[in-house]
Amino acid sequence: MALFLLSVMLTLCAASPQDLSGKMFTFPEPSDSAHVRLTTSRQVLSAVTVCLRFFTDLRRDYSLFSLANLASDNELLIFNSDSGNTYNYYIKNKVEVFIEQHYKLNTWHSICTTWDSESGLGQLWLDGKPSSRKYISSGSNISGPIIIVLGQEQDSHGGGFDEKQCFVGMMSDVNMWDYNLSPCEIQNYMHHLNFAPGNVLNWRALEFQTTGRLLIEDKQEIKTCN
Ligand SMILES: *[C@@H]1O[C@H](CO)[C@@H](O)[C@H](O)[C@H]1NC(C)=O
Ligand SMILES: [Ca+2]
């Protein structure tokens, strides 16, 4: 009976996408457990774009976006290292390093990453500025069962978290597409203009579960108050 209720609850949670427009996830303290698990029905991806916004004062390594499957815990991983100036972008456990990605602490930033399995090229756009396009991995798709985690870095399928790599701060506007956004679409995302919402993950209809101390709050933006 308990198992039955649990499975009903899990089904209900998974079946109710939420519109998080104007909201953010707040990760208020380091831990090896607090995280958001994002659910998608899409399990085979021959190309991807991930875009999100973040705000932090971390000077250590941390994960921004961790997608694992059974074959690799770093199937798609956006990992900030070297005191914030370098991004390690993993696809299928292969990594390319993107240097000189300076950004101010205590400020909202947008980041988008693209990859496609045909060319194998990955690219990163920090606050709308492109990186070099670099070869990471080609010839096979990202495939399921996919587990996507915000706030922690997976070293196993859905687990293996390390407090030293957790995210502390705020995150918002997480979207993922099964194709590469054009440079113009990335600029539109960055400037909060019209863009096609993610067809793999859509911030306006997000299916997720949270674990541990984290909050969904109104996004804080400094605007003129009337
Ligand atoms: C990747 O997935 C696409 C469908 O999304 C499929 O057409 C293609 O054959 C797959 N490629 C490989 C190498 O499995
Ligand atoms: Ca990992």
Side-chain angles (χ1 to χ4, degrees), residues 42 44-46 117 139-141:
R42 305 296 309 279
V44 179
L45 302 167
S46 57
S117 62
S140 64
N141 293 330

Side-chain angles (χ1 to χ4, degrees), residues 13-54:
C13 290
S16 52
Q18 285 187 48
D19 182 353
L20 294 182
S21 310
K23 304 279 185 188
M24 63 184 183
F25 289 125
T26 302
F27 299 88
E29 64 175 7
S31 79
D32 64 1
S33 56
H35 68 281
V36 183
R37 193 159 156 167
L38 306 176
T39 310
T40 175
S41 57
R42 305 296 309 279
Q43 296 292 318
V44 179
L45 302 167
S46 57
V48 290
T49 303
V50 175
C51 289
L52 58 85
R53 285 182 227 283
F54 67 98

Side-chain angles (χ1 to χ4, degrees), residues 66-77 90-95 115 137 140-148 153-159:
S66 168
L67 183 158
N69 63 13
L70 288 168
S72 63
D73 60 299
N74 305 323
E75 185 74 358
L76 191 167
L77 171 63
Y90 290 78
I91 298 287
K92 309 187 83 65
N93 264 341
K94 301 278 170 35
V95 62
W115 171 78
S137 171
S140 64
N141 293 330
I142 290 175
S143 58
I146 283 171
I147 294 182
I148 301 171
E153 202 275 305
Q154 301 175 78
D155 277 346
S156 65
H157 197 225

Side-chain angles (χ1 to χ4, degrees), residues 23-215:
K23 304 279 185 188
M24 63 184 183
F25 289 125
T26 302
F27 299 88
E29 64 175 7
S31 79
D32 64 1
S33 56
H35 68 281
V36 183
R37 193 159 156 167
L38 306 176
T39 310
T40 175
S41 57
R42 305 296 309 279
Q43 296 292 318
V44 179
L45 302 167
S46 57
V48 290
T49 303
V50 175
C51 289
L52 58 85
R53 285 182 227 283
F54 67 98
F55 183 116
T56 188
D57 66 357
L58 289 175
R59 288 177 191 273
R60 57 158 171 78
D61 296 358
Y62 60 89
S63 169
L64 270 179
F65 187 95
S66 168
L67 183 158
N69 63 13
L70 288 168
S72 63
D73 60 299
N74 305 323
E75 185 74 358
L76 191 167
L77 171 63
I78 308 170
F79 192 77
N80 189 286
S81 75
D82 186 25
S83 307
N85 295 331
T86 298
Y87 280 95
N88 296 344
Y89 184 24
Y90 290 78
I91 298 287
K92 309 187 83 65
N93 264 341
K94 301 278 170 35
V95 62
E96 264 309 317
V97 178
F98 295 82
I99 61 168
E100 295 288 316
Q101 302 291 333
H102 299 280
Y103 63 88
K104 278 169 72 176
L105 302 181
N106 300 314
T107 305
W108 280 106
H109 298 283
S110 72
I111 186 167
C112 294
T113 67
T114 61
W115 171 78
D116 81 85
S117 62
E118 201 172 319
S119 71
L121 300 190
Q123 188 171 25
L124 183 151
W125 301 72
L126 183 63
D127 293 325
K129 275 176 36 200
S131 72
S132 288
R133 291 169 60 71
K134 296 194 180 191
Y135 178 80
I136 308 178
S137 171
S138 62
S140 64
N141 293 330
I142 290 175
S143 58
I146 283 171
I147 294 182
I148 301 171
V149 165
L150 304 177
Q152 300 286 342
E153 202 275 305
Q154 301 175 78
D155 277 346
S156 65
H157 197 225
F161 303 149
D162 179 351
E163 182 170 334
K164 292 195 220 61
Q165 301 181 334
C166 76
F167 178 79
V168 181
M170 294 90 87
M171 222 180 258
S172 186
D173 297 334
V174 182
N175 282 278
M176 182 170 179
W177 296 260
D178 66 356
Y179 57 92
N180 286 355
L181 294 194
S182 71
C184 281
E185 288 169 314
I186 288 175
Q187 302 305 315
N188 287 345
Y189 171 85
M190 178 199 140
H191 291 296
H192 301 267
L193 301 174
N194 276 339
F195 60 87
N199 61 355
V200 180
L201 299 172
N202 176 1
W203 187 252
R204 290 168 176 268
L206 201 67
E207 293 179 36
F208 64 95
Q209 292 163 280
T210 66
T211 301
R213 189 187 302 278
L214 67 93
L215 300 89

